[in-house]
């Protein structure tokens, strides 16, 4: 594994139509933290990753695999999932509040803009999916 890659080990839980779902458990330094049990972070909890992979025929359900992504892909996903929606909320709140002087209306407009933002992301998810590719390898 290269220094600019992030990898997770997991188990193939389903394969269908060119997609593979892999169950992984996120691990990090949070496990050593004394307040980790009270934290809302999802460390240590299983999650399923949907992977579009042309080689799905080479894998079977229950097989152990390693999922590898570059840090650039991870940063891109974080920007799309958190930074863009945050900017949309803050910008909408600031603009509507400045124009109307009504913070309640600004808050409602921000929520509406957030819904529109996520709907737009959902509509272009096919293009986004190709930018966020994982590499999958079998564990021996």
């Amino acid at each position: 594994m290269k220094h600019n890659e992030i990898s997770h080990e997991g188990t193939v839980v389903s394969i269908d139509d060119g997609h593979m779902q892999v169950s992984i458990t996120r691990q990090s330094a949070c496990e050593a933290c004394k307040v980790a049990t009270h934290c809302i972070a999802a460390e240590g909890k299983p999650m399923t990753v949907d992977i579009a992979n042309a080689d799905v025929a080479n894998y079977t359900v229950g097989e152990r695999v390693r999922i590898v992504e570059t840090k650039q892909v991870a940063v891109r996903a974080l920007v799309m999932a958190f930074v863009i929606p945050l900017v949309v909320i803050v910008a909408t709140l600031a603009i509507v509040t400045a124009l109307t002087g009504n913070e309640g209306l600004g808050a409602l407009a921000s929520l509406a803009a957030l819904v529109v933002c996520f709907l737009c992301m959902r509509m272009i998810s096919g293009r986004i999916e190709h930018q966020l590719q994982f590499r999958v390898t079998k564990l021996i």
Side-chain angles (χ1 to χ4, degrees), residues 28-83:
S28 76
C30 292
E31 291 176 348
C33 180
K34 292 179 182 178
V35 295
T37 58
H38 304 292
C39 184
I40 62 170
E43 300 298 332
K45 296 179 183 173
M47 78 180 251
T48 302
V49 179
D50 184 31
I51 302 169
N53 189 338
D55 297 342
V56 294
N58 296 330
Y59 297 94
T60 58
V61 173
E63 188 169 23
R64 298 282 299 155
V65 295
R66 179 182 313 274
I67 301 172
V68 180
E69 65 181 333
T70 63
K71 287 184 180 177
Q72 179 183 7
V73 168
V75 168
R76 186 177 294 156
L78 287 172
V79 167
M80 286 190 247
F82 298 107
V83 175

Side-chain angles (χ1 to χ4, degrees), residues 9 11 16 20 23 28 36 48 60 66 70 76 118 127:
E9 292 182 10
T11 305
D16 60 303
M20 171 170 40
S23 177
S28 76
T48 302
T60 58
R66 179 182 313 274
T70 63
R76 186 177 294 156
F118 281 126
R127 286 186 236 151

Side-chain angles (χ1 to χ4, degrees), residues 91-109:
T92 304
L93 179 64
I95 292 168
V96 172
T97 302
L99 292 175
T100 65
N102 186 338
E103 289 180 2
L105 184 61
L108 288 174

Side-chain angles (χ1 to χ4, degrees), residues 1-12 20-22 24 49-56 59 64-74 129-139:
M1 185 175 75
K2 299 175 186 172
H3 71 280
N4 67 338
E5 293 180 336
I6 300 168
S7 77
H8 297 280
E9 292 182 10
T11 305
V12 178
M20 171 170 40
Q21 285 75 37
V22 177
I24 63 170
V49 179
D50 184 31
I51 302 169
N53 189 338
D55 297 342
V56 294
Y59 297 94
R64 298 282 299 155
V65 295
R66 179 182 313 274
I67 301 172
V68 180
E69 65 181 333
T70 63
K71 287 184 180 177
Q72 179 183 7
V73 168
E129 183 178 298
H130 296 295
Q131 295 175 4
L132 305 176
Q133 291 292 321
F134 296 96
R135 207 171 60 245
V136 181
T137 57
K138 292 182 180 190
L139 290 177

